[in-house]
Amino acid sequence: MKKYILLPFLVFAFYNSYSQVNYTANDQVVEYNGTFRAGSNLGAYSNWTDQQLADIAAGNPALNIKGAGVKTFRPTLPEIFLEAFGYDIRRDAFDHYASLGLEDNTVFIGYSSLEHRDPVEYCPGIQSASFENLYDPIWDGGANGTPYNDDNYYARYIHKMVTEYKDHVKFWEIWNEPDFDYSGCAWKDPGMEGNWWENVPGPCDYQLRIPIYHYIRILRISYEVIKTVDPTAYVAIGGLGYPSFLDLVLRHTDNPDGGSVSSDFPLNGGAYFDVMSFHSYPHIDGSLRYWSNSAGGFVYERHSDAAVQGVLGLKNEFKNVLDDYGYNG
C-alpha cells in the first residue's frame, strides 16, 4: 500500500467503455512518480473568488501576481454543494488552477445532501452524517440509464463527481477527519479503558455518527467507483488524526454485522485505499512540549525543528500500524 435520445447501439457502446474494477489495493498500488508539491487549503472568503485566491497562492504572470509558491490545492466537493449548484459548478475554477500550473490536486469528499442523508439515528437523538442506501448494490448494469445504481446515493455522487473533475484531481480523500473523536478515547494506548485499539467506538463516539463498518463501506464504494472511472487516480483514507482509527479500519470489513469476513464482505478496509493521508497539528497535540521535574511543569519548544519532528513522529505511528497489517511496501 501505501504510497505516500441516444440510439440503442450507442448506449451499449457507452457501457462497454466502462470496465468495473476487478482488483483492490491488496493486489496493486501503482507507484506515484510525481514530485513533492507545497499545497494549500484555500478556505472561503467573502468577495474573493476561487480563481482570485488561486492567483494569490500560485501566482498569475498575466496579472503580474507573483504568488506564494503554492503548487497544488486541497479543495472540497461535497455532495450537498454539488447537488444544490450542479456538478459542474467548480469546473471553471479547476480549469483555472490548471492554467496556473497547479497539478495533482487532492479533493476531500463526502457530506451528503439533506435528501440523501441516512435518516437512521445510530447515535440516539443525532442523525447520521452519512449517506442513505450505502449497502444497496453499487452497480446495476445500466438499468436506469447510468452504469451505477441510482439508489446508492453515495456511488451516484462519486461517479458523477469523478467523471466531471478527474482531469484535475489525482488524490480523492475520503472524508475530512472522519475519526474526529467525541469520546476522548482515540488517543489512549492499549490497555487503557475505552481505547480504540482493543475496543470498537460507537456511533456517538466520533463525528460520522455511524458504525465504523459503514465508513469502511464508504471506502469500498469510493475505491470501486473511482478506479472504474479513473484508474490513474489514488484513493486516500481520511485524513486521519489517530492511528487507532486506522487500526480499526484495517482489522474490520464493511460487514454491518460486526465487521466480520464473509463471502459478501471478504476484505478488510486496507483493500480499499491506496494512500495514507493524515493530519498533524504539533502546536496542539503535545509535540512541542515535554515534562520537566526541575521546572515543575511542561517545557515548550518554540521552534520549527520540534514541529517537524512532531509531524514525522505521527507519520511513523501510522506507518507502524500499516506495517503490522502487511502494508509495508
Side-chain angles (χ1 to χ4, degrees):
M1 205 187 257
K2 308 267 175 203
K3 304 278 186 185
Y4 289 72
I5 267 188
L6 290 177
L7 298 174
F9 71 90
L10 289 178
V11 176
F12 180 76
F14 171 78
Y15 290 120
N16 273 336
S17 71
Y18 277 100
S19 178
Q20 291 171 22
V21 64
N22 60 358
Y23 57 86
T24 73
N26 285 355
D27 306 309
Q28 66 178 60
V29 177
V30 177
E31 183 176 0
Y32 175 66
N33 291 314
T35 60
F36 173 81
R37 291 176 172 270
S40 177
N41 288 308
L42 286 181
Y45 297 88
S46 298
N47 301 320
W48 293 85
T49 67
D50 287 354
Q51 288 88 333
Q52 289 171 325
L53 293 172
D55 292 341
I56 295 170
N60 188 337
L63 299 177
N64 197 30
I65 298 174
K66 292 183 177 181
V70 171
K71 301 299 182 183
T72 192
F73 280 161
R74 182 182 174 266
T76 184
L77 292 170
E79 197 221 29
I80 191 170
F81 176 72
L82 297 179
E83 285 290 312
F85 297 100
Y87 276 75
D88 62 350
I89 183 65
R90 282 294 180 265
R91 184 72 197 197
D92 289 346
F94 277 76
D95 288 344
H96 185 70
Y97 302 160
S99 75
L100 301 178
L102 294 155
E103 297 179 352
D104 291 3
N105 299 297
T106 298
V107 171
F108 66 93
I109 59 179
Y111 310 95
S112 72
S113 63
L114 298 180
E115 294 80 8
H116 295 160
R117 186 167 299 170
D118 187 348
V120 178
E121 295 180 357
Y122 303 98
C123 176
I126 303 176
Q127 185 179 357
S128 160
S130 185
F131 288 70
E132 191 174 11
N133 301 339
L134 278 179
Y135 284 89
D136 281 16
I138 300 171
W139 311 99
D140 65 7
N144 295 314
T146 60
Y148 50 84
N149 176 12
D150 295 73
D151 291 330
N152 189 316
Y153 299 132
Y154 185 71
R156 172 186 179 272
Y157 153 64
I158 297 294
H159 196 284
K160 292 178 66 174
M161 174 181 59
V162 176
T163 299
E164 183 69 46
Y165 293 97
K166 64 182 181 179
D167 293 343
H168 297 311
V169 179
K170 178 60 69 174
F171 303 96
W172 297 97
E173 195 176 71
I174 313 306
W175 229 280
N176 179 62
E177 300 180 348
D179 57 343
F180 194 94
D181 176 25
Y182 297 145
S183 69
C185 292
W187 63 270
K188 292 182 177 179
D189 292 329
M192 299 179 70
E193 183 178 358
N195 77 84
W196 290 5
W197 302 96
E198 300 164 319
N199 301 280
V200 177
C204 294
D205 293 336
Y206 71 111
Q207 71 151 322
L208 297 186
R209 308 294 193 177
I210 54 176
I212 181 63
Y213 326 113
H214 291 208
Y215 178 70
I216 301 172
R217 179 66 176 179
I218 288 170
L219 286 174
R220 182 176 180 176
I221 296 169
S222 300
Y223 190 92
E224 284 201 30
V225 177
I226 291 170
K227 294 292 186 175
T228 295
V229 176
D230 181 12
T232 69
Y234 292 91
V235 179
I237 191 173
L240 302 187
Y242 298 102
S244 61
F245 188 88
L246 175 62
D247 194 83
L248 281 163
V249 170
L250 297 182
R251 71 180 192 256
H252 292 103
T253 76
D254 56 322
N255 189 342
D257 185 13
S260 59
V261 173
S262 72
S263 58
D264 290 330
F265 307 99
L267 300 176
N268 290 3
Y272 305 121
F273 64 96
D274 307 296
V275 173
M276 180 65 233
S277 172
F278 68 99
H279 292 179
S280 178
Y281 305 100
H283 57 303
I284 58 175
D285 68 6
S287 296
L288 300 184
R289 70 180 189 178
Y290 63 91
W291 181 264
S292 169
N293 287 331
S294 61
F298 286 106
V299 175
Y300 290 83
E301 300 180 290
R302 305 184 187 278
H303 54 84
S304 59
D305 285 358
V308 169
Q309 290 305 310
V311 174
L312 295 178
L314 183 56
K315 179 255 188 184
N316 285 331
E317 289 184 47
F318 282 112
K319 180 181 182 300
N320 290 338
V321 177
L322 292 169
D323 286 348
D324 287 344
Y325 286 88
Y327 297 109
N328 54 14

